[in-house]
Structures are given as structure tokens and as C-alpha cells.
Amino acid sequence: MQIKPSIYWLFIFMPVALVLEHAGVPAPYVFFSAALAIVPIASLIVRATEQIATRTGDAIGGLLNATFGNAPELIISFVALKAGLFDMVRAALIGAILANILLALGLAFFLGGLRYRDQDYNPVAARVYSSMMLIAVVSLAVPSAFSRFFAPEETIRSETLLNVGLAVVLLVAYALYLVFMLKTHPGAFAAKGGHVEEDEGARWSLTRAVGSLVGASLLAAWMSEILVGAAEGTGTALGMTQVFIGIVFVAIVGGAAESGSAIVMARKNRMDMTIGIALGSSIQIALFVAPVLVLASYFTAPQPLELSFGRAEIGALLMAVLMGTVVVGDGRSNWYKGIQLITVYLIIAFMFYFLPVLTHSS
Amino acid sequence: MQIKPSIYWLFIFMPVALVLEHAGVPAPYVFFSAALAIVPIASLIVRATEQIATRTGDAIGGLLNATFGNAPELIISFVALKAGLFDMVRAALIGAILANILLALGLAFFLGGLRYRDQDYNPVAARVYSSMMLIAVVSLAVPSAFSRFFAPEETIRSETLLNVGLAVVLLVAYALYLVFMLKTHPGAFAAKGGHVEEDEGARWSLTRAVGSLVGASLLAAWMSEILVGAAEGTGTALGMTQVFIGIVFVAIVGGAAESGSAIVMARKNRMDMTIGIALGSSIQIALFVAPVLVLASYFTAPQPLELSFGRAEIGALLMAVLMGTVVVGDGRSNWYKGIQLITVYLIIAFMFYFLPVLTHSS
Amino acid sequence: MQIKPSIYWLFIFMPVALVLEHAGVPAPYVFFSAALAIVPIASLIVRATEQIATRTGDAIGGLLNATFGNAPELIISFVALKAGLFDMVRAALIGAILANILLALGLAFFLGGLRYRDQDYNPVAARVYSSMMLIAVVSLAVPSAFSRFFAPEETIRSETLLNVGLAVVLLVAYALYLVFMLKTHPGAFAAKGGHVEEDEGARWSLTRAVGSLVGASLLAAWMSEILVGAAEGTGTALGMTQVFIGIVFVAIVGGAAESGSAIVMARKNRMDMTIGIALGSSIQIALFVAPVLVLASYFTAPQPLELSFGRAEIGALLMAVLMGTVVVGDGRSNWYKGIQLITVYLIIAFMFYFLPVLTHSS
């Protein structure tokens, strides 16, 4: 019998994380075990969603994929929100956007470019993603400007109204984006070489698909609690700030499944899928996950979640989006574009590693 | 006899505003009546200018249109300048640029896109507008950076020289832009489908055209005084800051005539006109109206006007210009591009609504 | 006998600078004589490097050109570094990038555009330069954000590590950029009309080329010491800050040779060379000269050089790069694009002229 390399081998880290947590070993071991355990769970969620999506029409399927695609990020964030770790939730949001635009896309361009000299994709879709990402920057910069300049000293008139109002505007814009993408202009997002059939193995039964989705979501929530519980101790043990843990590690764990798909697609020269997964994910996080978390925080969290980021975070986000816009805009990628994106990611990660205080309070 | 719907019916608000002002009703009623009365007056100014322009050669005609196109904004601003309402003048300038790039263009794209699936226009012209708008951002950011960081504590060496010098640089750049547009490279701004003949009704006699222009300008000045006089009271009554009143209401009123034309052109699928009106207007405001106001303030206002904006305003402007650049750059529009622009406008308007203090002093 | 106009006539300013320095005349005379003397020396360095490069293969030749092309900037900066004039070194770095993107390219577009109506070049290369310049902005913004917000009050954890780490990341990215440009994708940088043979006079002997390179470098170091020595006095005498002297005069002197070539190429309608020289230079300064100076400062300077710029500098840089990206992106230039770039340069130079204090400490 042949043992196939598979992401699902990482499931072994689930019991490992459980045992380590109860054995009282230092927090970093628990944290990284839980992190590794979440990767195959996230992958299972993504795959089960795809299986359910094949049963429905294209539109509903797209909607399902778009909504459940970021389920791992949502679940981790919910758990952290309930635990009152607001800094980590915020950091993980920004970090997930940065990781998708710079790291996942950079690795995909680089590894794809090592195999194919130049890789083409649909530049019209890239432009839509770019403008959506700019909206994301604006939508996160506005509440940040607020709490940075005014909140500490002065009362903000109906701060709740601002938060909720913005969340509603973003969710409406996101809903219309789905209408645009799935209904009125699907062609703008079509792959250049025509639609390629998925060949990802056998079709699941509906029971198996739904069961996997529910089961994996529960497992993800469970592991997330362990992960989040060990995060603070890990930061202290490794001399890292809460923000750095959130912006790099939690963000990469939450998006590992999609990042992996984006890279696999690039190696298969299916760049439209790569771009769609990496940039689509970052848009979802800003325009769907973030406002949902804000609205949910009024019900589940100890206090409302404000999307108040520091200048360093907003600056990093703006530069990432501009970089993504320029690099992606011409519909053609090569290995060096990957290096460019990864370089910017490294510089930004460096910055957050050395930031001595929580930036959002500066 | 049939009653045609027409913007000129709004002239009824002229006597209404006058009566309300003398009746001593609360300021908001006076303010919004005067605002509504300015819309048809602005429309008359624009139309009279076009009529005069048909008598002259193309170059002079273009120059006339370019110069008088923003006459309503200039008149309102002059009146506010004389009244010493510097915050409102500044807010109306920024607001007019934002309204043109985001709201007027957004509505035009959206409403045009509901009728036509995709609408094409000349991307070369769009790129010229983008770079002009970036110059506008730089030209407003520089004096702002100045007074923000240095003015309060330290004496600025020859502040007058900076203000006047910048104004002269911008006016020269604007004059050369007209030379470029009208003389050396008119082709870069040509509509893709060739020139379409205007069919806006009968030709006026020269006397009527000039008379209308002079008469409408006087009416505009009169209504502007009522509008500006009621602005402060309106803000207090509605719980809005001077900046919000200027950045949203005054800006929309001043640009209503052009915004209307931009939308009408989009419904007729003449997108090159739409882009030219909306983006051309915002460029004129930054590179022509603003420096003229600065220079004029040395003669007519109680003290010189400094173009010192807060970080929120400059940030909003930069994001609007980047958004405009990305959305407009490929020479093709659809309904969702309109939604994107409007979303950014709403988020920014939200921000200014909730800003508790005058931002330029922060 | 005919006297040809030549840049080498400026060598006359070398003895002039020496005499003036020892005659004890006011600093500005010494400064500007030394500045004029550096121009032909820089030109000689560039030319000698080209001659050596013709002996080697294309790859090594390109590497030589890329590395020695900014030798004048490196030499001047080293001298200023040793003298402990950190503000001037930093200002000259930023200034050189601004001068290349805005002034050299602007003049080249303008003067080229006066002769040719429209000039075409390879837009693929322009896009690579744009994204490299964005990396440059990020790489300079990150350490600046650091020392601005944190350095004064708090200890930065292993500041050395941040500085050195960033420098290494940038040098690796730059090395890979050379691999990309010279090895894997030279076609992306090819001129549109095919390769045009250089016709810059006779070929030098290797001895003459190497001798010229060494000799000119020594002369450059000598004149740089005079220039740097007179800089402070010049600032005081003319009422200009150290930053302004560095950002405008030192930067223009250091880059005069390349700027001249960029303009000459534009007049010959060889725009790919123009773009390559002007933008390539600004990339080299940020990704090669700056990290080399940081690393060198640990050995030669009184204290480590931090790349900590003020908001005004980083803002100016970002706007210059965005402007360059938008203006250059479509592969076609005209005279007005030149005016646009020059206008932004003038506005920024204005700002630094009037900045009353050293901005990096604000």
C-alpha cells in the first residue's frame, strides 16, 4: 500500500494539540499544534462547500463558496471576539488581507513562474478586484481615523451609528458585488482560455458533504479555542506582541487552505483561479467578514468591536493594495512579480515584529 | 397645453427663499430653498456659456466652457470668502472634487449601466484626467502639511510667498493643460465613436446668451448670499458641523448643473462627455478655482485664504483619486463601477458627518 | 580649429572650486563651483563604465552599468556620511529619487515631446519599474514610521536588527531584479522598435577605461569633500535648510550625468532608454545605494545611519511614485506629461524650501 502525501495527515496535530494543552507544556507548543491542526480542517470546510455547490445552480454555488470560503477566519475571529481579544481579532483581519494579497499571491506567482515563463489571466477581473480592495482600505481607514484622533479625548456622537452604518453600507456593496459577479457580468471574471472543468476527485453524497461541513466547522471552533487560548502565552514566551501573533500567525493559519489552493492552481497554470482565490478572499474579509464581526460583536462580545487600526496597519494595507494593483493590472505574471509581492510582505512583517507597542493605541 | 418636466421649474424656489428669509423661519428652510434655487440658475449659466461658445472658434469656445463651467462654485465661494467663512470655502472645494469624482461619476455609471450593459470611452483621456487629479491632490496636500505641522507654533517664512507661488504654478499648469487639450492633442480627448453633434434645442441670439450669462451670474450671487447666510444656522439647527455642510450640501449645490449633465450624457451612452464633465470639473476646481480664490482672497477677503486641510480631507481626496484612477482607467464602465464610486462617497460622507470637530485644526 | 560645446568644459570648475575654497570666499561660491565640477566627473564615470561593459558579456555589462551608474551618488553620500551629515545623506537619497522620477523624466518628456508629437515606449518595462518604485516607498516608509513614532520615547528592540535585516532583504530583492532583467526576462525591457546600436564615439582601450573609472572616482570623492564641506555654510548664507540643500542641490548634482543622458535619449526618440535611465536610477538608489549606505554606516560613520524620514518626505515620495506610475503606465509620452511631472517637482521643492524645521524630527 502506498502512502500519499496529503494535507489531511496534519489531522494528527488535533490530538497532539489536545494532549499538549492538558499536559501543561509551554504555550507555543500548544499554539503551533492547534495552528497545524486547523489547516486540514479549513481545507475540509472549503472542499465540503465546493461539493455542496456542485448540487446547486451556478449562482447559489458561487454564493455558497463566497460565503463559506472564509469560514475558518470567521470561526477563529468569533472565538477570539468572545474571549475579548479585540486586538488579535483586528490584527488577524488586517493580517489575512495582507497575507492573501502579498504572501499567497506572491508565492503563487513565484512558484507558478518557475514552471511557466509567463502566465496570463483576465485583466478585467484584476481591475475589479483592485477597486474592491481600495474600497476595503477606505472602509477600514475611516473608523480608524476616528478613534485615533477623537475617541480618546472626545465623545463620538453616536459611535454605534457610525459602526453599524458602515457595516451595513459594506454588506450592501458586497451583496451587489455578488450580483455583479454571478448575475450581470460573469463574463468579466471568466478565465481567458475558457472554462476548465474541475477534476478534484469523486463527487460526494449530499449527506457526506453537509455532514463534513458541519463537523469540520465544529472542529475548527474547538481548535480555535485552543489556539486563541494559547496565543497570549505564546506571545509572552516568544517575545512577540499580540498584534504580531495575530497579523502573521493567526492570519496565515486562517487562510492556509485558500492560500494552498491559490498556489496549486498557479502550478497548474490556471491563473484566473489563483487571482480569484487570493484577491477574492481578501475582499471577502474586508467587505463581509469584518462587518459581520462588527455586527455580531453587539450580540456576542463583551463590548462592541471597533475597526480602529493604527497608522502602521492602514499604511501597510494601502501599500499592499497599491502594490497588488500595479503588479496584477496587466494580466500577466512571472516569477519576479512573486518576489516583489513577497518582499513587500517581508518588510511589513518585519515592521510589525519590531513594533514595540500596540499600534492601534498610538 | 402640456406641462414639461424641466429643471427650470426650480426657479420657483427663488421667491420662496426670499420670502422665507424675511419671514424669519428657521435657517434650514431658507438654506435648502436657496440651494434648490441655485440649481436652475447654475444650469442657465452653463447653457448660456455653451451658446456663446458656439459663436466662437473651437479653441475659444472650449476655453469659455472650461472657465465659466465652474462659475457657480466660484460665485458661492467668493460670497463665502467675503463673509469670512473660510472653513466653508475650503470644505466646499474638497467636497466639490469628491462629489464630481465619486458621486456624479458614480451615479452616471450606475444609471448609464442600467440601460447599457457596458459603456466604452476613451481611456487615453481618462489617464490624463487621473494624472491631473493627482497633481490636484499634491497641490492641496502641500499647504495642508504646512499649516498642520508648523503654522500654529512657528512662523512660516514668507507664507504669502508659498501661497501665491503655488497658486501661480497651478494656474500656469492649468493654462498649459488647456493648450494641450485644445491645441496640440485634441485627438487624445476625442470620443471613441467620433464627434456627436449637440442637439440641445434652438440657437440663442448673442444678446440673449450674454444677457442670460450676466443675469444668471447676478442671481447666483444673490442666492449664494442667502445660502451662505443661512449655512451657520442650518448647521446648528441640524447638529451638523460647518465642514459637513460645506463638504456635502454646498458642494452638491454648486456642482448640481454639471452633475446633471454628466448623468444625462451617460443615459445617452455618450460616456466621453460624462467623463469629461465629471473629471474635468474636479480638475478645474483644484487647478483653477482654488488658486483663483487664494489670489482673490488677498484683495477681497478679511484675511488671506490658506488651502490648509486636515488629514481626513486630504486622505479622503487621495482615496477618491486613486479610486477614480483604478475604476476609470480601462475605458469601460458598468453599473457596478457606479456602485463602487457611490459606496466610497457614502463612507466618506459618513466620516465627515460624525467628525466632531473641525478637522483642519487637528 | 573648432571649439565643440561639451560637458567636459565644466572641468574648469574643478580648479575654480579649489582656488575659491582656499581663498576663503563665501561658502555658496565654493559649493556651486564644486557642484558644477562634479557634473563632468560623474559623466566620465558613467562613460568609463559603459566602455568597460562593452568588453564583457551582456549580463556582466548590465551588472556593471547598474552598479556603477550611481557611483557619484554613492561617493557624495559616503563623504557626507563620514562627516556625520546624516540629514543631508537622507535628504540627498530622497531628493535623488524625486529628481529622477519627476525632474529628469519630466524634462525628457517635455523636450522630447517638443520635437516628436507622441513618443512610444515599452509599457511592460514601465510597469516593472512602477512596482519596484512602490517597493522603494515601502522600504523607506517602514523605518521612518519607526523612528517617528517610537524612537524618541521608547527603546526599539534590536534596532540594529531591523536596519540590517531590511537592508539585506532589499539587496536580495535587487539582486533578483538584476537576474530577472538580465537573465530570465530581458525581452520585457527591450525597446519597442528593436535594439538600436549605440553610436557614442570610438571605443576606448581597457587601460584607458579602467584608468578613467578609478581616476574619476577619486576626483569625485575629492570634489564631494569640498561640496559637503561647503554645504552647511551655503545653507546658512542662503537661508536654506540642510534638508533643502540635500534634497534639491546635492541630489541634482549627483544625478546630473544620468539626467543628461535621459534627456539626450528623449531628443533622439529613444524613449525606452530614457525611461530605463530615469526610473532605473531611482530604483537603484532606493534598493541598492540606500541599503549599502546603511550597512556601510556601521563601519565608516560615527553612528549607524537610520533611514528615518519625516512625513513630508515619505508623502512626497509616495505622490511622486503614484504620479510616475499613472503618467508612465500607457507606454506613450507627450510634452504635457513632462509639464505634469515638472509641476509636481516644483510643488514639492517649494514645500521643502519653506519647511522651517528639519522634517525628520517632527
Side-chain angles (χ1 to χ4, degrees), chain B residues 127-139:
Chain B
R127 193 171 277 270
V128 176
Y129 294 133
S130 289
S131 43
M132 291 310 282
M133 292 188 300
L134 271 175
I135 294 182
V137 175
V138 176
S139 73

Side-chain angles (χ1 to χ4, degrees), chain A residues 264-276:
Chain A
V264 167
M265 288 300 150
R267 294 289 289 178
K268 291 183 183 167
N269 206 15
R270 293 176 59 188
M271 295 312 284
D272 290 282
M273 287 289 280
T274 296
I275 304 269

Side-chain angles (χ1 to χ4, degrees), chain C residues 240-274:
Chain C
M240 292 165 175
T241 62
Q242 192 95 329
V243 169
F244 183 74
I245 295 272
I247 226 163
V248 173
F249 293 116
V250 177
I252 289 179
V253 166
E258 296 126 294
S259 301
S261 312
I263 294 168
V264 167
M265 289 299 149
R267 294 290 288 179
K268 292 181 183 168
N269 206 16
R270 293 176 59 188
M271 295 311 285
D272 290 282
M273 288 287 282
T274 296

Side-chain angles (χ1 to χ4, degrees), chain B residues 166-186:
Chain B
L166 269 182
V168 170
V169 169
L170 293 179
L171 288 176
V172 169
Y174 186 70
L176 291 172
Y177 164 68
L178 295 179
V179 171
F180 174 70
M181 200 161 67
L182 303 172
K183 268 276 170 206
T184 75
H185 287 68

Side-chain angles (χ1 to χ4, degrees), chain A residues 124 127-128 130-132 134-135 137-139 141-142 145-146 148-150 154-159 161-166 169-170 172-174 176-180 183-188 287 311 318 322 325, chain B residues 110 113 116-118 127 238-241 311-312 318-320 322-337 339-344 346-348 350-359 362:
Chain A
V124 176
R127 195 171 276 271
V128 176
S130 289
S131 43
M132 292 309 282
L134 272 175
I135 294 182
V137 175
V138 176
S139 73
V142 160
F146 248 84
R148 191 153 6 103
F149 290 115
F150 305 103
E154 293 163 65
T155 316
I156 291 180
R157 290 193 265 161
S158 10
E159 190 177 331
L161 191 57
L162 173 73
N163 274 337
V164 174
L166 268 181
V169 168
L170 292 180
V172 170
Y174 185 70
L176 291 172
Y177 164 68
L178 294 179
V179 171
F180 174 71
K183 267 278 171 205
T184 74
H185 287 68
L287 303 191
R311 245 168 260 169
L318 177 61
L322 290 178
T325 298
Chain B
F110 178 64
Y116 304 92
R117 197 183 135 79
D118 289 299
R127 193 171 277 270
L238 303 183
M240 292 165 177
T241 62
R311 246 169 258 168
L318 177 61
M319 295 312 299
L322 290 178
M323 193 70 200
T325 298
V326 172
V327 164
V328 151
D330 63 350
R332 169 168 285 204
S333 73
N334 56 53
W335 69 271
Y336 192 68
K337 286 195 172 184
I339 294 289
Q340 290 183 313
L341 293 169
I342 295 167
T343 301
V344 174
L346 286 180
I347 295 175
I348 289 174
F350 243 72
M351 174 172 77
F352 286 111
Y353 181 76
F354 285 108
L355 268 191
V357 293
L358 299 180
T359 54
S362 66

Side-chain angles (χ1 to χ4, degrees), chain B residues 127-128 130-132 134-135 137-138 142 146 149-150 154 157-158 161-162 165-166 169 173 176-177 180 184-185 311, chain C residues 117-118 239 241 311 319 322-323 325-327 329-330 334-336 339-340 343-344 347 350-351 353-357:
Chain B
R127 193 171 277 270
V128 176
S130 289
S131 43
M132 291 310 282
L134 271 175
I135 294 182
V137 175
V138 176
V142 161
F146 248 84
F149 290 116
F150 304 102
E154 294 163 64
R157 289 192 266 160
S158 10
L161 191 58
L162 173 74
L166 269 182
V169 169
L176 291 172
Y177 164 68
F180 174 70
T184 75
H185 287 68
R311 246 169 258 168
Chain C
R117 196 182 135 79
D118 289 299
T241 62
R311 246 167 258 169
M319 295 313 298
L322 290 178
M323 192 70 200
T325 298
V326 172
V327 163
D330 62 351
N334 55 53
W335 69 271
Y336 193 67
I339 294 289
Q340 291 183 313
T343 301
V344 174
I347 295 175
F350 243 74
M351 175 173 75
Y353 182 75
F354 285 108
L355 268 191
V357 293

Side-chain angles (χ1 to χ4, degrees), chain A residues 54 109 116 181 214 239 280 315 328 332 361:
Chain A
T54 61
F109 277 5
Y116 304 92
M181 199 161 68
V214 173
V328 151
R332 168 167 285 205
S361 62

